[in-house]
Amino acid sequence: MFEIDDEVQRDRVLRQLTSIEDSAFFDVGGEKIKASFETDVERTADDGKTSSVHFLRFNFNPKQIAASRMRRRR
């Protein structure tokens, strides 16, 4: 969720983040895990403004989960 109180700034930012769901990823040890997202709902309006709420999933394998846990402990 993108929470921006100022309406003018929010509008500008949401227009800059058009289709963010297509480029969102986590980097775990140099390996990019792309986001998967709901395809039954359009998140970008015809005018190019993206929604302020996106539901993204990241499918990590056990090795990636372990690597992520190791980095937090350091």
Side-chain angles (χ1 to χ4, degrees), residues 31-70:
E31 185 177 357
K32 287 185 179 180
I33 297 90
K34 285 191 56 91
S36 59
F37 52 91
E38 297 173 335
T39 57
D40 60 334
V41 178
E42 181 58 47
R43 296 284 177 209
T44 302
D46 291 337
D47 65 358
K49 183 178 175 183
T50 195
S51 172
S52 63
V53 176
H54 290 264
F55 296 96
L56 304 175
R57 287 182 288 289
F58 296 89
N59 297 314
F60 299 103
N61 65 38
K63 183 178 176 183
Q64 293 161 337
I65 292 169
S68 177
R69 288 180 179 153
M70 293 295 291

Side-chain angles (χ1 to χ4, degrees), residues 14-30:
L14 293 178
R15 290 179 191 285
Q16 292 173 338
L17 294 174
T18 298
S19 301
I20 189 171
E21 67 275 11
D22 293 326
S23 58
F25 68 90
F26 271 99
D27 184 318
V28 179

